[in-house]
Amino acid sequence: MRSDVVKLGLERAPHRALFYALGLRGSDFEKPFIGVVNSYSSIVPGHVHLRRIAEAVIQGVREAGGVPFEFNTIAVCDGIAMGHRGMHYSLPSRELIADSVETMAEAHALDGLVLIPNCDKVTPGMLMAAARLDLPTIVVTGGPMLCGWYGGRKVAYSHVYEGVGRVRAGELSERELEELAMAACPTPGSCNGLYTANTMACITEALGLMLPGGATAPAVSSKRIRIAYETGWRIVDLVRMKVTALKILTRKAFENAIRVDLALGGSTNTVLHLMAIAREAGVDLRLEDFDRLSRETPQIAELIPSGVYGMDDLDRAGGIPAVMKTIEPLLHLDAPTVTGRSLGENIASAKRLDEKVIRPLDNPIRRSGGIAVLKGSLAPDGAVLKTAGVPPSMMRFRGRARVFDREDDAVKALLDRRIREGEVVVIRYEGPRGGPGMREMLAPTAALVGLGLIEKVALVTDGRFSGATRGLCIGHVSPEAAEGGPIAAIRDGDVIVIDVEARRIDVELGEGELERRLEDWKPPKPRIRRGWLLRYSLGVSSANTGAVIEAGK
């Protein structure tokens, strides 16, 4: 076993002394050493319950004949970090998480890993580490929170953000907004819609690194504890059989994951994360792959924020096994999984238990998937749109630009009712380098909904959006403004044309005008000039390559 280097032989007596200090017995040195990576935090609702998940994993590891060692990573709550300086740290935290898991696993020569993430950047960060380390690995997330109820309807986290705009529009009182806030998030767990955290959980199950049913079982359910226990047991088997992460993270696995994402209409952030994970796995995954698969993959579910169903409804309807069974003709059924069986074998007996939640393949919500990649004079290297949230009337849009160099200024203009119908709000210098950290923007998109502008105003940015976003909101514009991309040259009043079906986003300017403006452009000084974020901004790649830290920078 890999851990033999720290536990066997005459020269390792000092190492054993330290393990004895932890309470290990002599017989334990014959067993696999399993890292249990727990991202517990008492400030993150999606992670506050993870001690119980870890306990079940540890029990399973011990009963299967392994030795569990628990350690932690950081976890940023995107909701709490949203709309202020804190959001600059969210996407960069993905890199810190991957690095910390790598560091602990390598420093202590662990034989296998059970990863326990739940929120937006923690799951992809841990998956990046899994690919980088290539150890036997299984993921068990903390699970989604239940939806709340308010005013006779099911509500979730995104409804509170939209409620802010409704208060400004006079449709909701501040007292009612506070009541909604108290009702929207009634339990621990990842936020209760198909936002980024839950989309990443669904993708992880589709990748084959999670036991079936693990993506959708509610955080507060006994099913979640049973899956955690079974995960702990199973990781010991994987170590003994030498089934490592890269044996599962194949090209076929990534295509299966993208298909599931598209069928669900999930978050656009998965584009960033899957490309980053694929890069660590040595799989060549590009923006064009998402668009190609999207054209071929019907959307068969519409969950909050685009629809009315929550993650609990998806679980009740059969979860990800039922989704994959529905799109079975489109999947690579021979892809291996951590169960020891192929994906096809895993889903052989899966059934759709509610066809309102998971539609049949011949009666989809949309004939194509939930993500589109747009290119054009405004985004030569690509931009990403969640088509699942776009009103049909907005699939082709032409409007004059209102340009803002910061998210905060755009939000203020929206809430002050200074944005007119038919305009395109452009928010730039919010990309991976320019932000820095590519802030997630829920405040401006939710304001569009709350103010009744969802079918009247478009939003374009080199930043990114929350998984809770809906509307004609185009992000990841590449190259970003801080790199001298065309978005840096846009001015108020320029006409922007968006054609979703044609996958185009262009600015209407006279011949050579855009190039002349860019010749006069000068890069801005970094907004944050010290600490980790400065180092991040100097080394991070463009959004169209996953916004990863590039070697040698």
Side-chain angles (χ1 to χ4, degrees):
M1 286 182 287
R2 180 177 127 111
S3 61
D4 289 350
V5 73
V6 295
K7 64 187 182 185
L8 298 184
L10 177 66
E11 294 80 4
R12 295 299 181 252
H15 299 66
R16 289 194 295 275
L18 296 172
F19 285 118
Y20 284 130
L22 299 176
L24 267 63
R25 300 167 299 171
S27 60
D28 287 331
F29 298 117
E30 301 171 4
K31 302 173 183 178
F33 280 10
I34 307 298
V36 178
V37 189
N38 186 359
S39 55
Y40 162 80
S41 168
S42 65
I43 198 172
V44 183
H47 293 236
V48 70
H49 63 300
L50 294 189
R51 283 174 170 168
R52 181 68 186 93
I53 304 294
E55 287 172 2
V57 169
I58 288 167
Q59 181 184 357
V61 170
R62 285 194 173 125
E63 291 186 13
V67 182
F69 296 97
E70 183 180 1
F71 61 90
N72 298 89
T73 71
I74 62 171
V76 171
C77 176
D78 277 25
I80 294 174
M82 192 80 65
H84 61 93
R85 180 184 175 92
M87 182 47 72
H88 290 293
Y89 289 85
S90 176
L91 183 60
S93 75
R94 186 186 70 179
E95 312 303 316
L96 295 178
I97 291 161
D99 292 349
S100 66
V101 175
E102 176 194 1
T103 299
M104 291 295 288
E106 293 284 24
H108 303 102
L110 298 173
D111 296 306
L113 297 172
V114 173
L115 307 176
I116 311 178
N118 212 28
C119 288
D120 295 25
K121 309 311 164 301
V122 188
T123 302
M126 288 192 182
L127 287 172
M128 288 167 67
R132 190 183 299 171
L133 290 162
D134 193 26
L135 296 174
T137 304
I138 309 182
V139 179
V140 53
T141 60
M145 68 170 62
L146 297 178
C147 286
W149 287 86
Y150 181 74
R153 68 168 182 147
K154 181 171 281 192
V155 294
Y157 171 68
S158 57
H159 294 119
V160 185
Y161 255 102
E162 293 171 6
V164 175
R166 292 178 63 198
V167 170
R168 294 294 183 120
E171 297 177 3
L172 200 70
S173 70
E174 290 190 37
R175 179 185 59 80
E176 290 170 325
L177 176 62
E178 202 63 24
E179 290 174 351
L180 173 60
M182 293 179 69
C185 300
T187 71
S190 48
C191 289
N192 41 15
L194 194 63
Y195 314 133
T196 304
N198 287 323
T199 305
M200 283 306 306
C202 295
I203 282 174
T204 303
E205 186 172 336
L207 280 170
L209 281 180
M210 180 186 289
L211 295 183
T216 58
V220 293
S221 66
S222 58
K223 180 181 177 183
R224 173 66 47 189
I225 301 302
R226 286 193 295 274
I227 290 172
Y229 170 80
E230 291 164 3
T231 297
W233 185 281
R234 182 62 188 160
I235 189 61
V236 177
D237 289 339
L238 290 188
V239 170
R240 288 172 174 155
M241 294 185 296
K242 300 182 180 179
V243 178
T244 63
L246 292 187
K247 292 180 179 178
I248 293 167
L249 291 175
T250 63
R251 173 81 189 190
K252 290 180 178 180
F254 281 99
E255 290 198 355
N256 286 341
I258 294 170
R259 296 270 195 193
V260 167
D261 186 8
L262 296 168
L264 291 171
S267 166
T268 54
N269 286 317
T270 57
V271 177
L272 284 176
H273 299 324
L274 276 175
M275 285 197 296
I277 298 161
R279 181 175 180 269
E280 297 286 357
V283 174
D284 183 19
L285 195 63
R286 305 186 182 191
L287 275 181
E288 291 76 13
D289 293 315
F290 290 86
D291 198 63
R292 171 179 57 83
L293 295 171
S294 185
R295 292 178 185 274
E296 304 169 359
T297 309
Q299 184 185 342
I300 59 171
E302 192 165 40
L303 307 178
I304 294 170
S306 300
V308 297
Y309 298 110
M311 291 300 294
D312 51 344
D313 294 309
L314 181 60
D315 187 62
R316 174 179 52 79
I320 299 308
V323 171
M324 291 193 290
K325 185 67 175 178
T326 303
I327 62 170
E328 187 174 27
L330 303 174
L331 298 177
H332 299 290
L333 298 178
D334 59 342
T337 74
V338 291
T339 66
R341 301 184 299 272
S342 69
L343 181 73
E345 291 171 322
N346 282 350
I347 65 173
S349 60
K351 295 180 180 179
R352 288 190 311 275
L353 303 178
D354 188 336
E355 293 196 351
K356 293 180 181 179
V357 180
I358 304 173
R359 301 268 283 269
L361 197 58
D362 60 1
N363 183 32
I365 293 162
R366 293 177 180 84
R367 293 291 172 186
S368 60
I371 291 176
V373 175
L374 281 59
K375 290 190 175 183
S377 59
L378 188 53
D381 293 340
V384 179
L385 168 67
K386 179 179 176 178
T387 59
V390 179
S393 62
M394 298 284 282
M395 295 298 280
R396 181 172 172 80
F397 190 84
R398 183 177 185 273
R400 294 196 176 276
R402 290 290 303 279
V403 183
F404 302 91
D405 288 348
R406 291 179 60 87
E407 175 197 6
D408 316 65
D409 297 335
V411 172
K412 188 175 188 307
L414 278 163
L415 295 180
D416 289 346
R417 312 300 290 271
R418 290 187 280 115
I419 302 299
R420 298 186 180 92
E421 295 181 13
E423 293 184 326
V424 179
V425 176
V426 177
I427 306 176
R428 63 191 179 190
Y429 297 106
E430 291 287 3
R433 180 172 299 177
M438 205 178 184
R439 288 198 288 178
E440 192 173 82
M441 301 180 196
L442 181 52
T445 60
L448 289 177
V449 176
L451 291 168
L453 297 174
I454 188 71
E455 297 189 29
K456 300 167 184 175
V457 171
L459 201 158
V460 176
T461 181
D462 55 5
R464 63 193 178 92
F465 295 115
S466 164
T469 290
R470 55 193 176 105
L472 184 55
C473 299
I474 299 166
H476 306 200
V477 169
S478 299
E480 63 174 291
E483 291 184 343
I487 193 172
I490 302 302
R491 297 174 182 171
D492 282 344
D494 288 345
V495 175
I496 294 174
V497 180
I498 301 163
D499 190 331
V500 178
E501 292 297 335
R503 302 298 202 258
R504 296 289 305 181
I505 178 167
D506 295 285
V507 55
E508 291 184 347
L509 291 174
E511 185 177 353
E513 174 62 18
L514 192 59
E515 291 76 10
R516 283 191 290 273
R517 292 184 188 180
L518 289 172
E519 286 176 3
D520 295 333
W521 175 82
K522 295 181 180 179
K525 293 180 180 179
R527 286 177 176 162
I528 295 177
R529 305 182 191 183
R530 59 185 298 179
W532 153 238
L533 283 184
L534 176 60
R535 299 198 304 275
Y536 176 86
S537 69
L538 296 174
V540 68
S541 72
S542 175
N544 69 301
T545 60
V548 295
I549 299 294
E550 296 182 316
K553 286 194 174 182

